[in-house]
Amino acid sequence: AHQQLSDIAKPRYIRVNTLKLDSESALHELGKQYMVHEDDMVPDLLVLPPGIDLHDHPLVINGSVFMQGKGSSMAALALQPEPGWQVMDACAAPGNKTVHLAGLMRGKGKIIACELNKERLRRLKDTIKLAGAANVEVLHEDFLNLNPKLTTYSKVRAILLDPSCSGSGTVAVRLDHLLPSHGVGNADATDVDRLRKLQAFQKKALAHALSFPTVERIVYSTCSIHQIENEDVIKSILPLASSFGFQLATPFPHWPRRGLPVVQGSEHLLRTDPVEDKEGFFIALFIRKLTNNHTEE
Ligand code: SAM
């Protein structure tokens, strides 16, 4: 009940799909019906009053805007992919972040969107079509099975890794479950087991992302509030990351909510709050400098 109350009190966020519409036109169009303004930090993110249902709005139906929250929209932005780059979206369906990447790259370059689950692959393809993202190549594969040494991936400069997670930052549960005070919050034994399995995959996937030889930027993101899926994953992977020359960098330096202080460099990590920001997201950004092994096409 608490969560529902907080839902009612929190604004609606929508992200403008810049492949189809610019923010000014979206503001103008939505402004005819609603009080709407741009988010003060995230570009092309619009804020509407609480409680508005936009599911059937023409701009949603034709893919000009996506109903995507603030935390979710921050992940692709944190990666800062440039137009013309090759980028991998490792766990892509249903594709909200894939098409956000495509928008940021202004449709130039290539996004390889990898997804293991067949049903979800269909949703990914629908999202890409709806968004009008022409530069996405969909791969029905296990990301862990992709061979980083293949020439197919030898131009990939950035990876967005948004792996399966508990979703504890977005589910409507009682607020006292949302306290990130210790590793697994108030989870019971079955939950703990599930979280450990998720963590095992998250660690493997992040280690795999780090092993792509030409990658300079990696975003690891979850919609979980649990330390075990967030700071603990980063902590365990830091030695490997540093052996590959990666360091933590600070996405959205002015954002006040950072990682829990349980890992060195937690100030680089970013959290959003499930209550204050409507959804609990976690973002870590790894970067490394590579010397001149890229040739632009
Ligand atoms: N990034 C997506 C978005 O913003 O719309 C959400 C991704 S969701 C959190 C994680 C996805 O990873 C699921 O669709 C799941 O099926 C997929 N997945 C899980 N294991 C995978 C694997 N080994 N390889 C590729 N995709 C995987």
Side-chain angles (χ1 to χ4, degrees):
H2 287 131
Q3 181 67 23
Q4 279 160 11
L5 278 179
S6 78
D7 254 4
I8 293 164
K10 293 295 164 189
R12 289 265 160 240
Y13 287 106
I14 56 169
R15 186 181 64 74
V16 180
N17 173 18
T18 53
L19 294 170
K20 285 201 164 172
L21 194 70
D22 58 83
S23 285
E24 212 173 306
S25 310
L27 274 171
H28 178 74
E29 209 42 52
L30 290 161
K32 291 177 187 167
Q33 279 173 280
Y34 309 109
M35 298 270 291
V36 53
H37 66 272
E38 283 182 281
D39 185 73
D40 52 12
M41 194 186 70
V42 179
D44 303 312
L45 189 71
L46 306 185
V47 191
L48 289 107
I52 287 177
D53 185 0
L54 287 165
H55 281 90
D56 295 327
H57 195 281
L59 291 184
V60 173
I61 290 178
N62 73 20
S64 298
V65 302
F66 280 81
M67 305 214 315
Q68 192 174 347
K70 187 160 172 161
S72 168
S73 302
M74 286 160 96
L77 275 161
L79 196 64
Q80 293 187 317
E82 289 182 19
W85 277 17
Q86 289 203 11
V87 175
M88 169 92 71
D89 188 353
C91 292
N96 291 314
K97 299 186 186 74
T98 315
V99 298
H100 191 187
L101 290 170
L104 294 172
M105 291 161 71
R106 286 185 244 121
K108 297 189 186 112
K110 185 162 93 174
I111 298 165
I112 302 168
C114 177
E115 171 58 45
L116 178 62
N117 181 292
K118 200 174 165 190
E119 290 303 314
R120 293 178 63 90
L121 191 81
R122 203 170 302 152
R123 290 184 60 197
L124 171 64
K125 286 180 178 168
D126 288 347
T127 308
I128 292 167
K129 199 169 163 199
L130 180 66
N135 62 328
V136 185
E137 191 181 293
V138 171
L139 206 58
H140 183 199
E141 268 291 353
D142 183 341
F143 173 63
L144 298 178
N145 281 347
L146 301 187
N147 179 352
K149 307 254 152 52
L150 282 186
T151 50
T152 328
Y153 309 122
S154 65
K155 291 199 173 85
V156 175
R157 296 183 75 159
I159 296 181
L160 176 68
L161 174 63
D162 187 38
S164 298
C165 73
S166 62
S168 56
T170 55
V171 285
V173 291
R174 288 182 45 208
L175 291 182
D176 53 3
H177 282 259
L178 300 179
L179 298 171
S181 52
H182 39 95
V184 291
N186 294 348
D188 63 23
T190 338
D191 287 342
V192 172
D193 189 44
R194 179 172 163 250
L195 290 175
R196 295 215 185 286
K197 283 187 182 133
L198 285 164
Q199 188 204 45
F201 170 67
Q202 291 154 351
K203 281 186 192 172
K204 261 194 235 163
L206 184 49
H208 195 59
L210 291 164
S211 74
F212 281 69
T214 55
V215 164
E216 296 160 58
R217 301 179 69 85
I218 297 172
V219 159
Y220 171 82
S221 63
T222 73
C223 55
S224 165
I225 48 137
H226 293 306
Q227 178 188 319
I228 188 173
E229 298 179 272
N230 297 331
E231 289 84 356
D232 288 354
V233 170
I234 302 307
K235 188 175 182 176
S236 78
I237 220 78
L238 274 181
L240 183 72
S242 112
S243 77
F244 280 121
F246 281 100
Q247 288 182 328
L248 283 173
T250 314
F252 298 98
H254 300 301
W255 182 254
R257 283 182 264 288
R258 312 309 308 191
L260 300 176
V262 293
V263 49
Q264 211 175 7
S266 62
E267 68 281 5
H268 295 295
L269 308 172
L270 183 154
R271 272 180 176 261
T272 63
D273 184 90
V275 179
E276 290 303 314
D277 309 311
K278 206 166 173 331
E279 290 174 326
F281 267 82
F282 174 85
I283 297 175
L285 170 65
F286 291 92
I287 59 171
R288 71 172 161 187
K289 294 251 178 301
L290 290 174
T291 40
N292 250 346
N293 59 353
H294 292 287
T295 45
E296 302 294 337
E297 287 187 337

